């Protein structure tokens, strides 16, 4: 959970989003003649400025330097074989359980530990990285920005704040990642083709693309309603696994000597965190506990809750009131409150100070006008440890009188967390085992039990639950995990 204001990010991006005169050029990856309102330097600037925000929003970098260097090395080798090798390519493994990978303009590529846990060979990793490289080399983001601007402004000069980008910026405050534009099916098909090109140039068996696409279909949707997984940001252009089989067949090449590197890859995954990491905070019903930051807060009963890397959110059943918990940017509660009530668009009401469970706190009522109508709310800034936490409650003006008491009661549950039952938690992890004999999947589950359901174990191993497994095969199981149940 980290603090970030979407509005501040959009302001910081504004200087690099100024359009120059339209230019027509040949796309180096696709060979198409294209009108582009976004230069390569603007692509790079957009990616560079968004990169640290994206990394923070998606859980930060996964804390394993070996895995970081490993996937980065594969990505850089493939990028060097692309049509745009001179971009400042960056490849990062994010500490997020979602099954996803994505690219920003200018060569900024990300994969999550969630998708890495579902891979079973280096060839599959190369397929995913190659696909994301394809989005960059084909300039899919830049082309969509250009199309939006041509439709809106003709060939004039303006700012690249298309409706799509605005929507993403607004969504960021609820924990969605900053993916500037959602790629279309044609872009996905083209990225698959380019990924095939790059992985085969790198001497990787292209059947790895078939197997990873099959896995992604099997694991759909791969995300909650609030945070998109692979299919939300990579719309399926059709049966991409079958399309890749046809692509392999029509190439006329023999790929039997190309690299798969299954076992060496799987051994690198031993100990990888799997699923949600309770050390980053977890819920017991509507009670949110953060063992690392040592605090807890209880949201109203019956409200829908979600924990993300940047904030914790809750919304009532009628969807006319919401709350969020995040870091404030100040070091004192009073300073944070002054900054909030003086912000543009905020009309401050009553302010007051109180002590919340022994912690210094500052409160204010406020009103704000939005495109959806007038909102009313209350904000609390609470000092704890070396940080100030913002608890923000708001809702429709018509219903706020009924919702405010519940919201204030919830804010006043913020307290220190010291009970070892709730702070001594551990995530589940991948463990790699070598089968000593041939066995069925059911026998494997009995001999090597997991702390995850059998269907999830089958998915991450890319096997059927009735499949026979040969002796010596490396298999993943999920072990450990310690989270209280009440």
């Amino acid at each position: 959970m980290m603090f970030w204001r979407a509005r501040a990010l959009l302001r910081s991006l504004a200087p690099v989003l100024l359009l120059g005169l339209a230019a027509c050029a040949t796309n180096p990856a696709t060979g198409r003649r294209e009108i582009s309102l976004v230069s390569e330097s603007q692509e790079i600037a957009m990616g560079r400025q968004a990169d640290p925000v994206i990394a923070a929003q998606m859980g930060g970098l996964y804390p394993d330097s070996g895995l970081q260097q490993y996937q980065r090395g594969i990505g850089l080798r493939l990028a060097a074989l692309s049509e745009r090798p001179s971009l400042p390519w960056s490849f990062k493994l994010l500490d997020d359980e979602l099954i996803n990978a994505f690219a920003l303009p200018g060569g900024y590529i990300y994969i999550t530990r969630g998708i890495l846990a579902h891979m079973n060979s280096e060839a599959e990793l190369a397929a995913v990285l190659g696909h994301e490289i394809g989005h960059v080399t084909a300039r899919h983001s830049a082309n969509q920005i250009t199309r939006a601007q041509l439709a809106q402004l003709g060939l004039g000069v303006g700012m690249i704040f298309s409706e799509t980008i605005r929507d993403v910026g607004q969504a960021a405050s609820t924990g969605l990642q900053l993916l500037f534009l959602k790629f279309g099916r044609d872009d996905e098909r083209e990225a698959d083709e380019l990924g095939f090109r790059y992985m085969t140039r790198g001497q990787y068996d292209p059947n790895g693309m078939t197997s990873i696409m099959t896995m992604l279909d099997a694991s759909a949707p791969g995300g909650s309603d609030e945070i998109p997984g692979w299919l939300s940001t990579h719309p399926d252009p059709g049966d991409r696994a079958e399309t890749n089989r046809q692509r392999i067949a029509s190439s006329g090449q023999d790929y039997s000597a190309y690299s798969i590197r299954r076992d060496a890859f799987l051994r690198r995954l031993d100990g990888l965190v799997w699923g949600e990491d309770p050390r980053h905070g977890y819920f017991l019903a509507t009670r949110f506990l953060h063992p690392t930051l040592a605090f807890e807060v209880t949201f109203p009963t019956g409200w829908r809750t979600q924990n993300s890397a940047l904030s914790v959110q809750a919304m009532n059943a009628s969807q006319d009131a919401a709350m969020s918990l995040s870091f404030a940017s100040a070091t004192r509660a009073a300073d944070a409150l002054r900054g909030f009530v003086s912000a543009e668009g905020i009309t401050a009401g009553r302010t007051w100070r109180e002590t919340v469970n022994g912690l210094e706190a500052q409160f204010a009522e406020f009103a704000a006008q939005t495109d959806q109508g007038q909102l009313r709310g209350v904000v609390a800034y609470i000092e704890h440890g070396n940080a100030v936490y913002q608890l923000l409650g708001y809702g429709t003006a018509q219903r706020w009188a009924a919702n405010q008491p519940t919201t204030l009661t919830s804010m006043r549950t913020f307290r220190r967390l010291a009970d070892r039952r709730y702070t001594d938690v551990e995530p589940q992890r991948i463990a790699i085992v070598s089968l000593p004999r041939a066995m069925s999947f059911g026998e494997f589950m009995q001999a090597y039990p997991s702390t995850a359901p059998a269907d999830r174990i089958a998915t991450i191993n890319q096997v059927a639950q009735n499949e026979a497994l040969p002796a010596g095969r490396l298999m993943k199981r999920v072990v450990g995990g310690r989270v209280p149940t009440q």
Side-chain angles (χ1 to χ4, degrees):
M1 188 188 70
M2 300 181 185
F3 177 81
W4 175 52
R5 294 181 185 274
R7 199 177 288 175
L9 174 67
L10 291 178
R11 283 199 298 267
S12 72
L13 286 177
V16 302
L17 295 178
L18 292 174
L19 294 174
L21 293 175
C24 188
T26 300
N27 186 300
T30 66
R32 290 191 302 266
R33 293 282 291 174
E34 299 171 340
I35 293 176
S36 180
L37 299 176
V38 184
S39 69
E40 182 173 285
S41 63
Q42 288 173 323
E43 283 186 80
I44 294 169
M46 280 191 283
R48 181 182 295 122
Q49 291 198 22
D51 172 59
V53 177
I54 292 300
Q57 189 177 356
M58 295 294 290
L61 300 184
Y62 184 69
D64 185 320
S65 59
L67 275 178
Q68 291 286 354
Q69 293 172 8
Y70 171 64
Q71 62 86 30
R72 179 175 180 269
I74 295 170
L76 289 175
R77 288 198 298 274
L78 295 177
L81 298 171
S82 77
E83 296 78 15
R84 303 180 73 186
S86 61
L87 288 176
W89 292 96
S90 169
F91 297 86
K92 292 180 178 178
L93 173 62
L94 301 178
D95 191 4
D96 193 289
E97 74 273 13
L98 293 178
I99 302 171
N100 213 346
F102 51 95
L104 291 182
Y108 293 82
I109 309 292
Y110 310 84
I111 63 170
T112 62
R113 62 171 171 81
I115 196 170
L116 191 68
H118 285 73
M119 295 178 184
N120 282 270
S121 72
E122 190 173 297
E124 292 182 1
L125 175 57
V128 171
L129 293 176
H131 174 98
E132 299 305 330
I133 291 169
H135 279 307
V136 175
T137 58
R139 306 185 81 242
H140 287 155
S141 294
N143 291 341
Q144 287 196 333
I145 291 170
T146 295
R147 285 193 293 269
Q149 284 306 103
L150 290 176
Q152 183 177 351
L153 300 175
L155 292 178
V157 179
M159 295 185 65
I160 312 174
F161 283 145
S162 70
E163 289 302 322
T164 306
I165 292 179
R166 279 201 201 97
D167 290 345
V168 172
Q170 292 164 355
S173 64
T174 64
L176 296 177
Q177 76 267 42
L178 179 65
L179 294 176
F180 289 108
L181 297 166
K182 178 179 177 177
F183 298 126
R185 288 180 172 85
D186 288 344
D187 289 344
E188 286 302 299
R189 189 177 298 109
E190 190 166 69
D192 283 351
E193 293 172 356
L194 292 171
F196 179 94
R197 178 189 299 176
Y198 303 145
M199 71 181 300
T200 53
R201 283 179 180 176
Q203 300 289 295
Y204 283 105
D205 185 342
N207 288 290
M209 179 171 283
T210 305
S211 58
I212 195 67
M213 294 307 175
T214 301
M215 182 281 296
L216 290 167
D217 286 342
S219 63
S224 70
D225 293 339
E226 291 81 10
I227 302 181
W230 173 270
L231 290 183
S232 295
T233 54
H234 298 73
D236 191 350
D239 189 344
R240 61 204 320 171
E242 178 57 30
T243 299
N244 197 60
R245 293 187 188 96
Q246 296 173 6
R247 190 180 289 125
I248 293 171
S250 62
S251 72
Q253 289 187 246
D254 179 8
Y255 298 108
S256 59
Y258 281 38
S259 296
I260 299 174
R261 296 177 186 162
R262 182 181 189 277
D263 287 3
F265 173 84
L266 287 173
R267 289 192 176 96
R268 289 181 178 274
L269 301 191
D270 197 41
L272 180 71
V273 171
W274 188 86
E276 295 184 8
D277 190 338
R279 296 172 300 182
H280 300 329
Y282 60 95
F283 279 101
L284 295 177
T286 55
R287 182 185 176 195
F288 179 75
L289 306 100
H290 202 300
T292 305
L293 299 175
F295 73 80
E296 66 170 283
V297 63
T298 301
F299 291 95
T301 301
W303 285 37
R304 185 180 180 184
T305 57
Q306 179 196 352
N307 180 29
S308 71
L310 294 172
S311 63
V312 185
Q313 305 93 33
M315 179 175 287
N316 67 356
S318 56
Q319 299 186 19
D320 56 19
M323 291 181 63
S324 67
L325 166 66
S326 60
F327 283 122
S329 56
T331 57
R332 295 178 62 249
D335 294 336
L337 187 71
R338 278 193 291 271
F340 180 88
V341 299
S342 63
E344 181 182 354
I346 297 294
T347 302
R350 182 172 66 101
T351 63
W352 71 97
R353 173 194 172 276
E354 62 180 80
T355 300
V356 174
N357 298 309
L359 303 173
E360 172 70 19
Q362 299 279 341
F363 288 77
E365 296 174 340
F366 68 91
Q369 188 65 40
T370 72
D371 294 339
Q372 290 74 40
Q374 188 179 52
L375 297 179
R376 293 183 59 195
V378 61
V379 65
Y381 290 96
I382 302 177
E383 297 178 6
H384 171 54
N386 297 318
V388 175
Y389 294 85
Q390 179 195 70
L391 281 156
L392 180 67
Y394 56 94
T396 61
Q398 297 86 345
R399 291 283 300 155
W400 185 243
N403 287 319
Q404 178 168 322
T406 300
T407 303
L408 276 170
T409 298
S410 175
M411 290 177 172
R412 289 171 175 140
T413 65
F414 189 99
R415 67 184 70 244
R416 298 181 180 91
L417 178 64
D419 192 329
R420 295 287 294 273
R421 290 178 300 168
Y422 302 111
T423 59
D424 290 352
V425 296
E426 288 292 337
Q428 295 172 300
R429 295 182 183 274
I430 297 288
I432 304 299
V433 297
S434 177
L435 301 187
R437 58 178 176 82
M439 61 181 70
S440 67
F441 178 77
E443 290 172 327
F444 164 71
M445 291 297 294
Q446 289 182 342
Y448 303 96
S450 285
T451 55
D455 60 336
R456 300 297 302 276
I457 300 303
T459 298
I460 64 175
N461 281 288
Q462 300 179 24
V463 299
Q465 294 193 49
N466 61 355
E467 189 167 330
L469 307 173
R473 178 178 177 130
L474 296 186
M475 291 285 290
K476 304 171 191 167
R477 59 191 291 231
V478 174
V479 298
R482 184 173 65 248
V483 181
T485 57
Q486 62 181 8

